[in-house]
Amino acid sequence: MTDKRIALVTGAARGIGKAVAERLADEGCLVVAADLDDDDDEGRAPGADRLVFQKTDIARETDVKALFAFIDRTFGRLDVLVNNAGIIRDNLIWNMSADDFDAVLNVNLRGAWLVCREAAERMKAQKSGRIVNIASRAWLGNRGQTNYSASKAGLIGLTRALALELGRYGVSVNAVAPGLIDTPMTRRLEPEILQKLIEAQPTRAMGTPQDVARAVAFLAAAQTGFITGQTLYVDGGKSIGAG
Ligand SMILES: NC(=O)c1ccc[n+]([C@@H]2O[C@H](COP(=O)([O-])OP(=O)(O)OC[C@H]3O[C@@H](n4cnc5c(N)ncnc54)[C@H](O)[C@@H]3O)[C@@H](O)[C@H]2O)c1
């Protein structure tokens, strides 16, 4: 057992999730890093008092149950949940298969809901907790992302509804909506497309995973519990929409 705050970050092996896990660990949390792999993209599985990797597919209910059984057994509490795991399968709707729609909704929305359900039960009993869901500016709408935009819009709806359910138990639930962030996900885009996206940014720049991690750490802090049901954009101003 430990007297540190216990945080769970999904999709923590690389990109934004990895930066969030590192940031929360720097701020004194003991972080359970749940990902499809049981180490990070540098092959590190740093142990014990900082980061603990748990191989988990959040789209599988049995995996999520096993993850929470591990947390119960090892720590007996959960103070912070960051639902970060997410995937893209982009295409214009007439080229998108129903499987690509299902895959994205399954991980980004149903998976996040499965993890929220387990966390909510425990945080309600503890009468404390912080949940931060990583949505996306794309919930406002992006060409080629009918599946992804729908999943992230759903995640924001989930965030708001759950904030209402958990508010009386001292648990806040918020979303962070990143814009264009430099991660393995965006590095897979065609260079010309990426360049166009950067030029469309008010800041003419991509954000970093650390930019997102700072916002998550703010909402995950013990002192920010009066902020709940909100969506905080970390997008270089792209969501302003004008110009
Ligand atoms: N990169 C961006 O520009 C951007 C912008 C807006 C929102 N986001 C969101 O931020 C989150 C992280 O994005 P990223 O760019 O770091 O992505 P990434 O692809 O670089 O990393 C995602 C991580 O999630 C893990 N993951 C995927 N499916 C999983 C599953 N079923 N169970 C457990 N882990 C799973 C992957 O293994 C990977 O480690 C996602 O939810 C994404 O939608 C990213």
Side-chain angles (χ1 to χ4, degrees):
M1 290 291 173
T2 169
D3 55 6
K4 288 185 165 196
R5 293 174 90 213
I6 307 300
L8 168 62
V9 182
T10 68
R14 62 177 196 230
I16 292 170
K18 181 176 170 182
V20 169
E22 298 279 357
R23 173 84 197 205
L24 293 177
D26 286 348
E27 295 198 357
C29 291
L30 201 158
V31 181
V32 179
D35 206 297
L36 297 172
D37 295 324
D38 53 11
D39 56 11
D40 71 11
D41 57 358
E42 295 167 73
R44 292 180 312 148
D49 61 338
R50 201 176 146 80
L51 285 170
V52 184
F53 270 84
Q54 280 296 300
K55 190 174 169 144
T56 311
D57 179 350
I58 59 140
R60 292 167 60 102
E61 191 171 2
T62 48
D63 274 27
V64 173
K65 295 261 184 211
L67 172 65
F68 277 82
F70 165 79
I71 292 171
D72 290 344
R73 228 177 23 246
T74 316
F75 308 111
R77 59 181 295 108
L78 180 66
D79 301 292
V80 177
L81 163 64
V82 183
N83 266 310
N84 164 80
I87 60 169
I88 46 174
R89 296 276 188 281
D90 295 353
N91 231 322
L92 295 168
I93 196 166
W94 42 89
N95 295 324
M96 188 180 287
S97 68
D99 282 350
D100 282 346
F101 182 86
D102 289 347
V104 168
L105 270 286
N106 251 332
V107 176
N108 297 7
L109 184 54
R110 186 174 177 277
W113 181 86
L114 287 171
V115 180
C116 276
R117 185 175 58 169
E118 298 299 325
E121 191 186 332
R122 288 154 180 86
M123 290 176 176
K124 173 177 178 282
Q126 283 166 201
K127 295 199 166 44
S128 69
R130 300 279 174 266
I131 297 177
V132 184
N133 294 322
I134 307 299
S136 170
R137 188 213 58 86
W139 87 277
L140 296 167
N142 258 0
R143 286 182 76 246
Q145 294 198 313
T146 48
N147 52 358
Y148 184 77
S149 293
S151 74
K152 296 300 190 179
L155 189 56
I156 287 174
L158 185 166
T159 300
R160 293 168 60 99
L162 192 56
L164 292 175
E165 294 186 11
L166 288 176
R168 73 197 62 185
Y169 302 107
V171 181
S172 70
V173 189
N174 291 289
V176 167
L180 193 61
I181 308 294
D182 185 12
T183 70
M185 184 185 270
T186 42
R187 270 175 239 140
R188 284 198 302 271
L189 294 169
E190 298 287 331
E192 314 81 70
I193 292 179
L194 186 58
Q195 195 48 42
K196 278 192 183 148
L197 291 172
I198 292 172
E199 281 161 19
Q201 288 282 116
T203 53
R204 301 292 188 272
M206 297 178 91
T208 65
Q210 290 71 27
D211 287 327
V212 182
R214 274 186 281 273
V216 173
F218 170 71
L219 293 170
Q223 301 85 348
T224 50
F226 201 55
I227 304 170
T228 194
Q230 304 304 305
T231 299
L232 176 57
Y233 289 89
V234 182
D235 70 344
K238 188 72 167 61
S239 54
I240 297 165

